[in-house]
Amino acid sequence: LNSKDELLDLLSGGEPGTSSKATESVSMSMATSSPMLRSSQVVDELPAHMKGASAEVRASARIQMRQQKDIEAQRAKVLEKSAREAEEANQQNSRAIVAKTLGPSLQKWSCPDGTTKNIRALLGTLHTVLWEGANWKPVSVLVRPNDVKIAYRKAMLVVHPDKIKKASPEIQYIGQHIFESLNNQYKLFADREMK
């Protein structure tokens, strides 16, 4: 292979030295479909001492450069995955520590003496287990079903997992426990009183 045209002729399935129109169409389609195959870009990537070398030497150099880039990309992916796994393990350890420290108090709030509180009691005492800075105003009396529904929805806005997913592990654990407890009791409440 002595020239770019001969390479393009072979890639297009023809013999070297066939019509330049076929060469131009293949060249254009290659340039638009794959940026890696643009000859000017590939030549620019070669070191200066390689630009004057034969086509075979340049092709070999390009292949080696692409292989090196692939290896570097794979290494970067492995490092990224390792960092992600380490972060997940760290978060799991944090959650386990938080569960040991905060679990009993949250369990006492939601199920004192082994019996679950109803939704009114949970909403009425929610301020005692929420974290500092939570956007929650304590509710006093929840007699009407509609008042319970409104307070429940406001509480869901505070403790919903999507709202606190970037918070500390403590806040996430508290929010998850409250979210699950309120959801379970609200379903029972809705079945009994909202029909």
Side-chain angles (χ1 to χ4, degrees):
L1 298 176
N2 294 329
S3 70
K4 177 179 146 187
D5 292 335
E6 288 179 9
L7 176 64
L8 292 173
D9 285 340
L10 287 175
L11 289 174
S12 66
E15 293 294 322
T18 56
S19 75
S20 63
K21 206 176 247 191
T23 303
E24 288 174 16
S25 68
V26 170
S27 176
M28 290 302 279
S29 68
M30 288 173 61
T32 57
S33 66
S34 176
M36 288 186 72
L37 293 178
R38 291 184 189 143
S39 60
S40 63
Q41 180 183 5
V42 174
V43 170
D44 290 341
E45 291 176 0
L46 291 174
H49 70 278
M50 297 296 281
K51 290 183 182 178
S54 70
E56 290 174 1
V57 172
R58 289 194 316 264
S60 174
R62 280 195 226 71
I63 289 170
Q64 288 177 349
M65 289 173 59
R66 288 182 189 139
Q67 288 173 343
Q68 186 62 34
K69 285 181 182 179
D70 289 344
I71 291 170
E72 290 171 6
Q74 288 173 354
R75 283 185 186 146
K77 286 180 183 179
V78 167
L79 288 174
E80 183 181 323
K81 183 178 179 186
S82 298
R84 234 184 3 254
E85 289 173 350
E87 180 64 27
E88 287 174 9
N90 197 9
Q91 287 178 354
Q92 286 178 349
N93 288 339
S94 296
R95 283 188 214 119
I97 292 169
V98 168
K100 284 181 182 178
T101 57
L102 296 176
S105 63
L106 289 171
Q107 193 65 26
K108 185 178 177 183
W109 168 76
S110 62
C111 302
D113 304 325
T115 59
T116 56
K117 287 184 179 178
N118 67 28
I119 189 72
R120 287 180 173 92
L122 291 176
L123 290 170
T125 58
L126 182 59
H127 64 281
T128 63
V129 291
L130 279 174
W131 56 92
E132 212 174 292
N135 190 15
W136 176 255
K137 294 179 184 173
V139 293
S140 54
V141 180
L142 298 169
V143 178
R144 297 180 309 159
N146 197 38
D147 293 340
V148 174
K149 181 179 178 180
I150 291 169
Y152 165 77
R153 288 192 175 167
K154 286 181 181 179
M156 288 296 104
L157 291 174
V158 174
V159 299
H160 195 279
D162 289 342
K163 297 282 186 177
I164 58 174
K165 64 181 166 187
K166 293 186 179 179
S168 69
E170 293 86 7
I171 291 175
Q172 288 180 3
Y173 183 79
I174 293 169
Q176 178 185 358
H177 187 85
I178 293 170
F179 182 79
E180 291 170 359
S181 298
L182 289 176
N183 265 340
N184 292 337
Q185 289 305 311
Y186 187 77
K187 286 176 188 172
L188 296 174
F189 164 78
D191 288 343
R192 284 190 311 247
E193 298 187 36
M194 295 295 284
K195 289 186 176 187

